[in-house]
Amino acid sequence: EGMDLSLESELLPTFKIVTLSLNHYLNLSHIIVYIPRTNGNKEFTLHCEFFPEESRTATTQVPNVFSFGISASKVDLTSSGLMHTLQLQDFNQIYQAFTVYVESKCHSLTEELPSVYRWHIPWSNEDSFTAVSVPSSVEISAKLHVARPVNDSSVSVLHLYTSRDCQYQITIRTSFFQVLGQ
């Protein structure tokens, strides 16, 4: 008996992803990917990897809002995976505003797969996406429109859908002018 997992997929700016927790699908023995015919013969690439989620999840504290951009939080992502998650602790108030710098350094590019950075705020619908070609250096503005509810313990998350050939450095600084704008 088959199961349709298309409801688990997400369409990102440059590709479609499906992230499954295999613990929820213990009875599966095969995964079959069906690509319907389109007009013409379009080529596609299928990337697949299996990993424990905690091995690709990093956590960092955001700088104090009164640091005026002098101090920063830095995270280096050195694994060669396709997906990473950065959890930002204590980023939950609307007066906070940050600039997130993501720099990619690539060894030798075997494919031209863009990176997509998804800013996810679990308690509201204010996700944002940034798509860049690699190697690159990009600034992402991070601010909240809704403060985290008192009874909610979730954290804001930066999902990085990355190239296997690159390493990433993320630097988070308080953006004083954006704080004033908030």
Side-chain angles (χ1 to χ4, degrees):
E1 180 180 329
M3 295 173 65
D4 183 4
L5 300 175
S6 61
L7 294 176
E8 302 290 331
S9 67
E10 292 183 79
L11 183 61
L12 298 179
T14 58
F15 46 83
K16 185 181 261 190
I17 65 158
V18 177
T19 305
L20 301 174
S21 174
L22 295 181
N23 292 335
H24 296 117
Y25 302 99
L26 294 175
N27 60 343
L28 289 183
S29 62
H30 295 74
I31 296 177
I32 299 171
V33 179
Y34 170 71
I35 309 293
R37 284 193 140 207
T38 59
N39 294 338
N41 291 330
K42 288 190 174 187
E43 289 187 26
F44 68 93
T45 304
L46 177 67
H47 295 276
C48 182
E49 63 182 355
F50 296 92
F51 60 90
E53 186 176 6
E54 59 275 359
S55 71
R56 301 269 181 83
T57 300
T59 302
T60 188
Q61 292 285 339
V62 293
N64 188 295
V65 73
F66 297 112
S67 70
F68 303 108
I70 296 170
S71 64
S73 297
K74 288 188 179 187
V75 176
D76 291 322
L77 303 176
T78 56
S79 73
S80 61
L82 294 171
M83 181 180 166
H84 296 86
T85 301
L86 178 62
Q87 297 177 340
L88 301 177
Q89 299 294 322
D90 298 327
F91 180 35
N92 51 28
Q93 299 298 322
I94 58 173
Y95 60 80
Q96 295 172 298
F98 303 97
T99 302
V100 179
Y101 302 91
V102 181
E103 183 178 357
S104 61
K105 295 179 182 169
C106 303
H107 304 291
S108 62
L109 286 175
T110 57
E111 59 188 336
E112 290 290 325
L113 185 67
S115 289
V116 175
Y117 310 134
R118 176 184 180 190
W119 192 255
H120 176 64
I121 311 300
W123 57 87
S124 71
N125 292 322
E126 48 184 299
D127 285 13
S128 65
F129 296 90
T130 303
V132 298
S133 58
V134 291
S136 67
S137 183
V138 66
E139 291 182 16
I140 302 170
S141 176
K143 50 190 169 184
L144 301 175
H145 299 287
V146 177
R148 183 175 70 193
V150 175
N151 60 350
D152 192 342
S153 62
S154 59
V155 295
S156 57
V157 175
L158 179 63
H159 293 288
L160 298 103
Y161 303 97
T162 58
S163 174
R164 291 178 197 232
D165 301 326
C166 301
Q167 295 183 335
Y168 295 81
Q169 182 179 62
I170 298 115
T171 306
I172 303 165
R173 292 189 183 280
T174 299
S175 175
F176 178 69
F177 292 111
Q178 288 185 44
V179 169
L180 291 177
Q182 287 289 85

